[in-house]
Amino acid sequence: MRTERTQLLTVLSEVLDCVEKELLGVTDHHAKRVAMCCIRMAEYTQLTQEDRSAAAIGALLHDSALSEYREHYHDGTATPEALMGHCRVGEENLRYIPGGVSRDFVLYHHEHADGSGPFARTAEETPLGAQLIHIADQLDRHMPLGSATGANLPAMRAFITDNRGTLFAPQVCEWMNAVLTEEFLNELSDDAITLSKLQIPDAVYETDLRALSGLFARVIDYKSPFTRAHSVGVAEKAEAMAHYYQWDAATVEQMYCAGALHDIGKLMVERDVLEKPGKLDQREYQHIQSHAYETHRLLSGLSGMEDITRWASNHHEKLNGKGYPFGLTAQELDQKSRLLACLDIYQALTEDRPYKAGMPHAKALSILREMAEKGELDSAITEDIDRAFHTEDGEDTTPTTALFQCNVCGHIYEGDTMPDHYECPVCGQPETAFMRLR
């Protein structure tokens, strides 16, 4: 299974833009514009082709950890600790991108030329790729480039000049000024923005897709503390059921990815609605439901992922035709779509959330059986889930990746074991400060 890596990164940058717009008030396509600026400025530098590609990818994903630290942002401003945390985790997220693109460009993209940034690094101590991301990021936040025209160029140049030597190194200012032309602004407009000129290798293999899907899942689940491990949990259960059915390795991989990506549309849902403690009104309920269609919209343009897109988009469909977003019937829903619908509900029932403990396996299965009797879920798949995950004590036996939580700041580390000499990327505590969650 092959797909365009640029396409995947474009989708991820779009959903990240939604998070950044919600928190910081930036306009649509922010990450794409920052990437375009970086690649243009890089033409004036001595950066290698690999570093230019890494800078472009870093620019697209520079705020991939923003949703994790959203509680530390107030009126678009973050505490220094939050800036350090989201930079560290953002750099860590790049390990999910194949090709070795981590260059500390994201880690230090909030550093100031005079050393007054969160890590106190001067321009001489900060990687050039990070400096390119920083000036483009700050300029687009100060004066949205997507709606700018030639008439705005003097104000842009004034902003750059006012921060020369403090926020930005003089040489970087010269490069930014050099690329700021009316023609380039037209390329950055909301109607014309494109990543076609970014020098990013465009083909990936199955293992790369799984890694990228894992990154999507992390970003999705950090949208809300209510569902922090939901996407990963659905992905792991989908993989386990694929093994249970003895499907081939490629299908196992596809099922994992469909589970990881099924809720990507939730990043397009307003956070206040997603986390509303009371009953939703009709508009809010329809807005929540729109996430399934947004999953379809975001994934449907990805070549090589047609099956994954279908299964992920259908996770709220019901056999009796009363589901959404398309109201499909039993005749239109294949086994894998039906399986993901069952697993989404099972995972939601059995996982712990801040406001409730997860249900035991037996109680969750009783609810799935009731829904199957109503003609909503597949009864045969429901019984297969029982056989696959049931033990004598009735507990779920899905193989899962271990999660460890920092006792000081709450940061989650995902991995089978805690590495020796690990330091929390948010508060700097050693691995002994982490408690295993599962």
Side-chain angles (χ1 to χ4, degrees):
M1 179 174 54
R2 298 170 66 89
T3 191
E4 301 285 336
R5 181 164 69 172
T6 302
Q7 291 178 346
L8 284 166
L9 292 171
T10 300
V11 171
L12 185 52
S13 72
E14 179 178 349
V15 295
L16 289 173
D17 273 349
C18 290
V19 175
E20 199 165 34
K21 183 177 181 180
E22 191 171 40
L23 289 177
L24 306 180
V26 298
T27 56
D28 291 335
H29 309 301
H30 170 70
K32 300 183 187 73
R33 285 194 294 273
V34 173
M36 287 282 287
C37 289
C38 286
I39 211 67
R40 286 296 179 86
M41 285 188 286
E43 295 175 3
Y44 293 89
T45 73
Q46 300 299 315
L47 288 175
T48 66
Q49 191 64 43
E50 290 77 13
D51 282 345
R52 293 185 188 192
S53 178
I57 293 175
L60 285 173
L61 306 183
H62 70 279
D63 279 334
S64 66
L66 192 61
S67 57
E68 182 177 355
Y69 294 96
R70 61 187 176 81
E71 66 270 18
H72 300 288
Y73 281 77
H74 305 284
D75 298 323
T77 303
T79 63
E81 293 76 17
L83 280 177
M84 294 174 71
H86 108 75
C87 288
R88 282 170 168 155
V89 176
E91 186 69 35
E92 182 181 326
N93 283 344
L94 289 180
R95 68 186 174 88
Y96 287 84
I97 308 300
V101 298
S102 178
R103 303 282 198 284
D104 288 344
F105 294 168
V106 171
L107 178 62
Y108 297 124
H109 80 276
H110 276 295
E111 292 308 285
H112 300 168
D114 63 2
S116 61
F119 292 97
R121 283 182 166 241
T122 64
E124 292 75 16
E125 300 169 309
T126 302
L128 184 54
Q131 296 186 57
L132 300 184
I133 295 173
H134 178 55
I135 191 171
D137 179 37
Q138 293 299 312
L139 181 60
D140 191 52
R141 288 182 58 188
H142 174 74
M143 184 172 292
L145 301 176
S147 57
T149 66
N152 302 118
L153 285 171
M156 294 178 187
R157 299 192 193 285
F159 172 77
I160 295 170
T161 299
D162 290 344
N163 292 286
R164 181 186 176 97
T166 52
L167 292 184
F168 317 125
Q171 183 67 76
V172 175
C173 291
E174 292 180 17
W175 294 331
M176 189 75 247
N177 275 320
V179 304
L180 282 176
T181 64
E182 189 166 359
E183 180 183 1
F184 185 51
L185 290 178
N186 290 335
E187 292 183 50
L188 296 178
S189 69
D190 291 335
D191 295 330
I193 188 70
T194 175
L195 296 181
S196 61
K197 296 184 180 180
L198 294 185
Q199 300 156 2
I200 301 174
D202 58 6
V204 295
Y205 298 98
E206 292 169 5
T207 52
D208 293 338
L209 181 57
R210 183 186 177 101
L212 285 165
S213 297
L215 173 56
F216 275 98
R218 282 167 60 98
V219 175
I220 293 164
D221 286 342
Y222 279 129
K223 170 80 172 184
S224 169
F226 294 171
T227 58
R228 175 151 290 191
H230 179 74
S231 297
V232 174
V234 173
E236 291 171 339
K237 287 179 173 59
E239 181 179 40
M241 288 303 298
H243 284 299
Y244 174 84
Y245 288 127
Q246 298 183 337
W247 291 335
D248 60 72
T251 304
V252 171
E253 197 87 344
Q254 287 179 305
M255 286 303 299
Y256 177 91
C257 294
L261 297 173
H262 79 283
D263 268 345
I264 190 174
K266 279 190 175 176
L267 287 172
M268 316 300 282
V269 175
E270 297 170 11
R271 190 178 75 245
D272 291 344
V273 175
L274 196 62
E275 298 181 359
K276 183 178 179 180
K279 184 178 179 180
L280 299 177
D281 60 30
Q282 184 64 24
R283 184 200 70 82
E284 292 168 335
Y285 183 65
Q286 290 176 345
H287 184 47
I288 286 281
Q289 286 186 320
S290 72
H291 83 272
Y293 176 77
E294 291 295 338
T295 291
H296 170 78
R297 182 184 68 81
L298 289 165
L299 298 181
S300 61
L302 301 179
S303 59
M305 290 182 57
E306 291 77 13
D307 288 339
I308 291 172
T309 298
R310 182 172 69 257
W311 306 333
S313 303
N314 291 344
H315 70 278
H316 279 298
E317 298 290 351
K318 299 290 187 287
L319 301 186
N320 58 12
K322 295 182 180 180
Y324 60 90
F326 302 115
L328 302 179
T329 63
Q331 291 74 26
E332 299 169 294
L333 292 168
D334 61 10
Q335 183 186 17
K336 297 174 181 66
S337 292
R338 298 179 183 203
L339 172 60
L340 208 61
C342 291
L343 291 176
D344 179 53
I345 296 170
Y346 179 78
Q347 175 65 25
L349 293 174
T350 56
E351 68 192 8
D352 291 333
R353 297 191 177 182
Y355 55 86
K356 75 171 184 70
M359 289 182 185
H361 171 84
K363 186 173 181 180
L365 255 293
S366 69
I367 293 175
L368 263 65
R369 289 183 175 119
E370 289 177 8
M371 297 180 71
E373 290 173 2
K374 295 176 183 177
E376 297 177 342
L377 300 179
D378 189 299
S379 58
I381 290 176
T382 296
E383 298 309 316
D384 288 338
I385 289 173
D386 185 26
R387 284 187 284 270
F389 299 149
H390 179 75
T391 62
E392 290 184 3
D393 58 7
E395 292 304 311
D396 178 1
T397 59
T398 315
T400 59
T401 303
L403 296 179
F404 300 84
Q405 185 173 40
C406 177
N407 292 325
V408 177
C409 70
H411 172 69
I412 302 291
Y413 174 83
E414 185 178 336
D416 293 333
T417 59
M418 286 294 300
D420 292 336
H421 310 300
Y422 180 81
E423 288 188 0
C424 177
V426 179
C427 66
Q429 292 296 312
E431 74 275 9
T432 54
F434 280 73
M435 173 183 67
R436 182 166 183 155
L437 295 180
R438 72 176 193 196

